[in-house]
Amino acid sequence: MSTNKELRAKARADLGGGIFQTMWLLTLVVLLVYSIIVSAASYVIIGAILVGGPLEYGVSRILVSTARGKGEVNFGDLFIGFQEDFGNTVILGFLKNLFILLWSLLLIIPGIVKSYSYAMATYIQQDAGDKNWKTCIDQSRAMMDGKKWKLFCLDLSFIGWYIVGFLCLGIGIFFVMPYHEQARAEFYENLKGENGASATETVTE
């Protein structure tokens, strides 16, 4: 599997190589719109449940498309989870967060471990033929077996970037987000290739 340095380099290249490149800025807009909608919906519990999963699915679609060399950001893909399999995207988003919360109620560490176990589920749902939420969670757990520490270290490697972003009046943090999220998508693509997963990569069409 590629090193975390290589994954970050691939993420930067896919985003255009710099924070003021079009791909980087468009991905930033997608993430901000996602955050705003989910935050607004969270004031109504059922609203958060109904939009959280489908929008996370849409974000994953955009990130995976970029990782696969699509070369452009289709803003409409942010809402594609409401069209392709609304039910399974809602259930996956809700249950994934619920399971992590329940494990976190036991102790913080088990909650963190489970969050990494389920980290690939929404990416997997991009390629799963039936989009079944349970299949995606089970496959994520299997895929992340022995890889949770590596993804944790990848996340940890962005701390310096976030500190610099915070020092830039806090605004810089937003510019780190696309880089970080794209690196996670690269992690999925790399891990999927390592496992020899067969996927119907409809997102590149």
Side-chain angles (χ1 to χ4, degrees), residues 144-185:
M144 290 301 291
D145 186 27
K147 300 297 183 180
K148 291 185 282 292
W149 178 251
K150 183 171 180 62
L151 181 56
F152 176 77
C153 289
L154 176 63
D155 290 338
L156 201 63
S157 71
F158 283 91
I159 285 182
W161 289 88
Y162 281 112
I163 291 174
V164 172
F166 178 77
L167 294 176
C168 297
L169 302 177
I171 298 175
I173 290 176
F174 296 109
F175 288 88
V176 180
M177 289 165 48
Y179 182 21
H180 188 181
E181 294 301 325
Q182 190 60 48
R184 276 184 149 235

Side-chain angles (χ1 to χ4, degrees), residues 18-110:
I19 63 174
F20 296 113
Q21 297 299 314
T22 301
M23 286 289 291
W24 199 304
L25 294 175
L26 287 176
T27 305
L28 169 58
V29 171
V30 166
L31 294 174
L32 288 177
V33 171
Y34 163 78
S35 299
I36 291 169
I37 294 176
V38 171
S39 296
S42 66
Y43 287 100
V44 180
I45 294 178
I46 189 63
I49 293 173
L50 292 177
V51 306
L55 288 178
E56 185 179 359
Y57 177 89
V59 169
S60 296
R61 167 62 58 85
I62 291 169
L63 295 172
V64 168
S65 294
T66 300
R68 293 174 182 172
K70 185 176 180 180
E72 61 181 17
V73 172
N74 184 351
F75 188 79
D77 281 348
L78 177 59
F79 306 99
I80 204 165
F82 295 98
Q83 305 169 29
E84 291 194 346
D85 195 327
F86 178 68
N88 271 306
T89 60
V90 168
I91 295 171
L92 177 60
F94 172 66
L95 290 182
K96 184 177 67 170
N97 290 326
L98 178 62
F99 293 158
I100 292 171
L101 174 62
L102 293 176
W103 279 99
S104 298
L105 292 177
L106 297 176
L107 284 172
I108 295 298
I109 299 300

